Amino acid sequence: MADRKITVLNPSGYQELFQSGDNLLLSGTIQMNSNLITDLPNCVNDNDVARKKYVDDSVSAIVSGAPSALDTLNELAAAIADDSNYATTITTALGLKSPIASPTFTGTVTGPTINASTALQIGGVAITSTSAELNILDGVTATTAELNILDGVTSTTAELNYVDGVTSNIQTQIDTKAPLASPTFTGTITVAAMDGEIDCGVYAS
């Protein structure tokens, strides 16, 4: 088909509409005012004209039901504090955290009051002492070596209670007591009233 040309005269000059094969070519611009171009096909090529519905559908597919506070690029950027290295920042921050399972801490560990729903354990052994019993240790100033003296002690609670109230060296207290067999006293000896006889064992030298 031969090329055809339509020349239209307007106040600013001439506009020409060319038919070249199956294509119509326009020199100048088209002013549609309130008129519309309808029935355009979907975009296929890079330079195709896009219909409003095609653009709306494409944007909707990108948003894909995102909440209104996160449906723009600016809102997404604000949500990550405009950090262009967000992934690196998060990875570094996670590297400074301890795992929940079997954490290993360094330095001084500080925490709130523990309200345990299950028995606390030391070395896999449950602690059954009461708060009052543990508070007995409050103020203990013994050294590690002194505490290690107790290592291996197999005394029962009843046996340990024999020393309840002892506030000084036990041997020192024992040394101030007289033996039952052949005791030797000093100072004034006072004997309570007695029935029967008593052999005072007083002999002249």
Side-chain angles (χ1 to χ4, degrees):
M1 180 183 295
D3 292 348
R4 297 179 180 178
K5 179 175 66 174
I6 299 174
T7 302
V8 179
L9 179 64
N10 59 36
S12 60
Y14 292 94
Q15 285 186 317
E16 295 181 335
L17 181 64
F18 296 90
Q19 178 180 358
S20 177
D22 294 330
N23 299 318
L24 292 176
L25 306 177
L26 175 67
S27 65
T29 59
I30 298 177
Q31 295 182 2
M32 299 296 297
N33 295 326
S34 61
N35 298 312
L36 300 175
I37 297 177
T38 61
D39 297 326
L40 289 175
N42 286 330
C43 297
V44 177
N45 301 311
D46 291 344
N47 293 324
D48 287 349
V49 174
R51 295 182 301 167
K52 179 182 182 299
K53 185 177 184 307
Y54 175 84
V55 175
D56 289 343
D57 290 346
S58 297
V59 172
S60 179
I62 295 174
V63 174
S64 188
S68 59
L70 292 172
D71 61 359
T72 68
L73 292 178
N74 186 54
E75 290 169 343
L76 291 173
I80 61 173
D82 294 330
D83 186 355
S84 59
N85 296 311
Y86 182 72
T88 300
T89 300
I90 293 300
T91 300
T92 301
L94 289 175
L96 299 175
K97 304 298 181 181
S98 66
I100 293 177
S102 303
T104 300
F105 298 104
T106 60
T108 302
V109 178
T110 303
T113 301
I114 299 176
N115 294 315
S117 58
T118 57
L120 296 178
Q121 296 184 350
I122 296 179
V125 179
I127 299 173
T128 58
S129 301
T130 65
S131 299
E133 291 169 339
L134 291 175
N135 282 335
I136 293 174
L137 298 175
D138 186 29
V140 171
T141 58
T143 64
T144 302
E146 291 169 337
L147 290 175
N148 281 336
I149 294 174
L150 298 175
D151 187 29
V153 172
T154 58
S155 300
T156 65
T157 301
E159 291 170 337
L160 289 175
N161 281 337
Y162 288 142
V163 298
D164 184 32
V166 174
T167 58
S168 62
N169 184 276
I170 294 177
Q171 187 60 51
T172 299
Q173 296 184 56
I174 291 176
D175 290 342
T176 63
K177 307 300 179 181
L180 293 176
S182 303
T184 300
F185 298 103
T186 61
T188 301
I189 301 174
T190 302
V191 179
M194 296 182 294
D195 293 331
E197 297 180 353
I198 181 171
D199 182 3
C200 292
V202 178
Y203 300 95
S205 57

